[in-house]
């Protein structure tokens, strides 16, 4: 990966990922993409797509993996910890507070309506990020065809994911040796 802007300090990683966490509560992927690619220019669109692909493969929440990878890229373990802490501290406090409020007032129609509205907004942001990522050059290639075949095979035909991945690895290796 090549940086498209100056290297952020750990404090800036912490603050920006905290901003992402608070801005996109319930669906921060689109906010992370916007901050990393469009606003800060720490990654370009293809780098973000590659990073998102890697982080979806890794265990754990995608956004946490992205924060750790971006932080580590710029400042190693210190940067990874700063980005992770920025991403987690505010939502942790918010969830605790909302849990207390919901326990006390969750039966009120206004409260349940507010929670449904937040859910709808989060879904819209995720769709918007997907559309932005679909415009990537990489997704207009053979990789897009592979993604469609993978979806059809695993989700619709119900081929076991492990089997699909094993076959895909062997096909990739065969193409690399030719």
């Amino acid at each position: 990966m090549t940086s498209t802007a100056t290297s952020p300090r750990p404090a800036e990683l912490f603050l920006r990922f905290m901003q992402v966490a608070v801005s996109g509560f319930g669906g921060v992927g689109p906010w992370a993409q916007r901050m990393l690619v469009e606003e800060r220019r720490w990654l370009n669109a293809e780098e973000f797509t590659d990073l998102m692909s890697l982080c979806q493969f890794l265990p754990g929440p995608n956004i946490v993996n992205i924060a750790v990878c971006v932080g580590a890229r710029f400042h190693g373990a210190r940067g990874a910890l700063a980005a992770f802490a920025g991403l987690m501290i505010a939502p942790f406090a918010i969830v605790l507070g909302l849990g207390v409020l919901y326990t006390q007032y969750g039966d009120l129609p206004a409260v349940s309506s507010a929670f449904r509205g937040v859910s709808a907004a989060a879904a819209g942001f995720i769709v918007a990020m997907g559309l932005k990522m679909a415009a990537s050059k990489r997704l207009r290639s053979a990789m897009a065809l592979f993604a469609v075949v993978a979806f059809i095979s695993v989700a619709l035909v119900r081929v076991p994911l492990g089997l699909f991945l094993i076959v895909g690895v062997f096909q990739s290796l065969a193409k690399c040796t030719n």
Side-chain angles (χ1 to χ4, degrees):
M1 285 188 208
T2 57
S3 174
T4 56
T6 59
S7 177
R9 294 188 314 245
E12 185 175 10
L13 286 165
F14 176 86
L15 290 173
R16 294 298 174 180
F17 274 100
M18 181 178 280
Q19 179 184 18
V20 163
V22 172
S23 297
F25 189 77
V28 296
W31 295 102
Q33 186 272 342
R34 183 179 197 183
M35 183 271 292
L36 291 167
V37 176
E38 298 170 15
E39 294 174 0
R40 302 275 94 196
R41 300 187 195 282
W42 293 341
L43 304 173
N44 63 40
E46 276 69 33
E47 289 171 330
F48 181 81
T49 299
D50 287 346
L51 184 62
M52 176 65 95
S53 299
L54 170 68
C55 291
Q56 287 177 332
F57 179 73
L58 296 172
N62 297 338
I63 190 61
V64 171
N65 294 338
I66 288 171
V68 169
C69 288
V70 169
R73 173 183 175 182
F74 291 111
H75 290 286
R78 200 168 125 216
L81 183 61
F84 174 79
L87 188 68
M88 299 306 289
I89 287 174
F92 180 75
I94 290 169
V95 166
L96 284 177
L98 287 174
V100 168
L101 289 173
Y102 191 76
T103 300
Q104 294 295 317
Y105 306 107
D107 294 334
L108 297 175
V111 173
S112 61
S113 294
F115 276 93
R116 280 194 303 276
V118 169
S119 297
F125 282 127
I126 291 169
V127 169
M129 181 185 72
L131 293 173
K132 284 182 182 180
M133 289 178 67
S136 168
K137 291 177 186 175
R138 293 216 170 119
L139 292 180
R140 288 180 270 145
S141 66
M143 291 174 67
L145 179 61
F146 178 79
V148 169
V149 169
F151 175 77
I152 291 170
S153 299
V154 175
L156 302 178
V157 180
R158 301 286 189 202
V159 172
L161 178 61
L163 177 62
F164 183 84
L165 291 175
I166 290 169
V167 170
V169 166
F170 283 116
Q171 287 181 339
S172 296
L173 292 174
K175 288 187 181 200
C176 289
T177 57
N178 290 336

